[in-house]
Amino acid sequence: MRMVLLLVLLILAQSALAVNTESNFAGVGIDGRPLPDGQIRVEQIVAAGPAHLAGIRVGDIITHIDGAATRGGRFQELVQKRLRGVSGSKIVLRIQRNGSAKPLTFTLTRKQLVVTQPEEK
């Protein structure tokens, strides 16, 4: 009985990990780069994704996710556990934009994103 339970738990854990690491996931459509202090610089925006529709721009710096500072955070953990999540769930990002004195706040709704690879010619 213990062996069956262990096997079921391993399969569920593997499935959960696969969902978050494959090309299909719920997110906001941001491809970012970690800065030395842990904050995230937006490098690319998925067209028609939540971030694009909200007005987030390439070059914006994500300083907070749901009220928690990104400074000092580990990039992979920030992406996997805080930016990505359940489709339809809300996330609040505080952004510092070059040329803007005050931070900007965006409330986004995560959605299922399908990242496709370009076809080789």
Side-chain angles (χ1 to χ4, degrees), residues 38 40 62-71 75 77-79 81-84 91-95 110:
I40 300 170
I62 301 172
T63 62
H64 292 75
I65 302 171
D66 287 332
T70 56
R71 186 179 303 262
F75 180 69
E77 188 172 307
L78 292 172
V79 171
K81 296 184 178 178
R82 292 175 56 196
L83 284 175
R84 293 182 183 173
I91 182 172
V92 178
L93 300 181
R94 189 173 342 161
I95 302 288
R110 292 178 182 99

Side-chain angles (χ1 to χ4, degrees), residues 29-36 39-47 51 56-62 75 79 83 95:
I30 291 174
D31 181 19
R33 175 177 57 87
L35 298 176
Q39 295 182 341
I40 300 170
R41 182 181 188 281
V42 177
E43 293 289 317
Q44 293 181 343
I45 303 280
V46 174
I56 294 175
R57 300 178 189 165
V58 169
D60 286 350
I61 307 295
I62 301 172
F75 180 69
V79 171
L83 284 175
I95 302 288

